Structure formats: C-alpha cells, structure tokens
Amino acid sequence: METPNNPTAVQHRIREALARVAMVMRADEWNRAKTTGLNPTQLAILELLEGRRDGLAVKDIAANLGVSQPTATDSIAALERKGLAAKRNAGTDRRGVNVAITQEGLAALKAGSDGESAAERSVDALADHEQEDLLVTLVKMIRTLQEIDAIPIQRMCATCRYFAPFAHSDAARPHHCNFVDAAFGQRDIRIDCRDHETADPASRAATWDAFTRG
Ligand code: SF4
C-alpha cells in the first residue's frame, strides 16, 4: 500500500492516473455509442474510417483498434448490415478488399459527436500552456508505442513527410507543413491528419530528432 513515506514509482502512479482518464473515456464512448445505437468498437471503426477515402483492410482496422481480426470482422459486419460501412476494392489491387465508411456512417458519426465529453471538459480546465505541454507529451508517448510496435504508425505530424519541425524563428508558429505550405504552432500538431503521408524511416528519425531538440 502506498504511503507518503513509501510512494510507488512515478511510472506506476502515472499509469494509475492514465487508467482513471481511460475509464472516463470509455464511459464517454458508451454514452456516445448509446445515442447512435452502436457499440464503442463499431463507433471507433467509423471514426478510424472517417477521412480515409480508400478505406482500410480488416487487418489494419484490427491493428489500429488493438482488437483481434475476428472481433473487427464481427463489428464490420454489423456496420455493413446497418449500411454504415461497405466493402470496396482496395486501389489497383483487385484482389484486395477494403472497408470504407458510407454517407450514412458519416451522418451517424456526426449525430454521436454532439456535446462535450467529460474527458474534453477535463482538458478544457487546463491552461493553454498546459494543454500544449500535454499534447507534446502524448505525441512522445505515442511515438514510443509506435517504435515498440505496440500500435501502428499514426497519422501524426511527427511521422509525416510534409512535417518540417522548427523551420521558423517565430516562437508561436515554429513548424511548417509542406502539404499546405503554412507555418503552425505546437498546439496545432496533428494526431490524426487525413493529409498525412508516412515518411521513410531515415526521414522520420531525422524529423523526430529536430522536433525533440526544438
Ligand atoms: S500534412 Fe498533416 S500530418 Fe503532415 S505535416 Fe501537414 S498537418 Fe502535419
């Protein structure tokens, strides 16, 4: 048992804190799911597919959600029955099949996104600089999770071939996005950008080095 004289390791306490936040986020997801008639896994699949014109293969959906392929397959089948997702040929590979969100799926997502969640309210309560620090800390954690193959590469600026960190001397907007050719600040760093294109490993490493050196 933890006491002031015998604290557990800080890593353990951070994990405990993250678990509390994750618990609230799960409750938020169930509340959102209720308004759409979906379960949280089905809702998460629609969120993952939103903004992905070509859709995703079942194995990629499973990897991104951290669920087994059979679980992903069952949820996708339920979404197809409701008309919220549909299978289509994957690009030029006629043998490959992707799952994509439909117009009805987009409408269901929109219907479920009304109102601020409890987790969002806790972020709102932070000062601007605290939000920015938290965002950068989370990017660092997600990057480590990618490096150890705990999750697939996410569509973050940190892994994007268009990202030029600290390319400008303007402290408010030091970064540059070569996709839209515009400067942006730390608090605008993306976690899931639809225009993201994964950089090659050597470029990713160099970009990360420049980002963390500041
Ligand atoms: S395209 Fe998106 S992910 Fe890539 S640098 Fe620009 S904003 Fe970031």
Side-chain angles (χ1 to χ4, degrees):
M1 172 141 172
E2 190 173 42
T3 69
N5 290 331
N6 183 27
T8 56
V10 67
Q11 293 89 337
H12 176 79
R13 280 173 283 132
I14 288 172
R15 191 162 59 79
E16 287 178 326
L18 289 173
R20 302 298 182 276
V21 176
M23 188 178 67
V24 171
M25 290 181 71
R26 273 197 301 279
D28 284 341
E29 282 161 13
W30 273 109
N31 287 335
R32 279 191 65 201
K34 253 188 274 171
T35 65
T36 56
L38 303 171
N39 67 35
T41 304
Q42 293 164 1
L43 200 54
I45 290 173
L46 291 184
E47 282 179 337
L48 185 67
L49 296 177
E50 196 262 330
R52 286 180 158 94
R53 246 192 326 270
D54 297 332
L56 280 176
V58 173
K59 71 174 171 40
D60 294 327
I61 292 173
N64 271 283
L65 264 53
V67 299
S68 68
Q69 284 201 40
T71 298
T73 300
D74 286 350
S75 296
I76 291 162
L79 291 171
E80 283 183 279
R81 282 195 297 276
K82 292 171 197 260
L84 306 180
K87 297 228 171 70
R88 59 167 60 153
N89 284 336
T92 54
D93 182 358
R94 299 189 70 80
R95 290 165 306 171
V97 173
N98 276 0
V99 181
I101 192 168
T102 61
Q103 287 301 323
E104 291 79 6
L106 289 171
L109 257 191
K110 196 162 179 296
S113 63
D114 288 345
E116 194 178 41
S117 69
E120 284 166 336
R121 286 171 61 190
S122 72
V123 174
D124 275 353
L126 299 173
D128 283 358
H129 72 276
E130 291 172 325
Q131 291 176 353
E132 188 174 306
D133 289 347
L134 179 60
L135 179 62
V136 172
T137 300
L138 290 170
V139 166
K140 291 178 176 175
M141 291 176 68
I142 293 168
R143 199 251 179 187
T144 300
L145 293 171
Q146 291 173 167
E147 291 296 302
I148 62 174
D149 284 333
I151 55 172
I153 289 187
Q154 303 297 302
R155 301 191 298 182
M156 302 197 299
C157 292
T159 55
C160 180
R161 76 185 188 91
Y162 297 116
F163 185 43
F166 296 101
H168 304 286
S169 53
D170 180 357
R173 298 197 308 161
H175 308 309
H176 196 84
C177 170
N178 286 312
F179 183 80
V180 291
D181 193 21
F184 65 99
Q186 286 279 71
R187 66 181 294 114
D188 298 318
I189 285 171
R190 308 294 201 276
I191 300 294
D192 188 27
C193 173
R194 65 182 60 192
D195 299 316
H196 173 276
E197 282 186 33
T198 305
D200 61 72
S203 302
R204 285 207 302 273
T207 298
W208 185 250
D209 193 43
F211 179 64
T212 50
R213 268 190 289 115

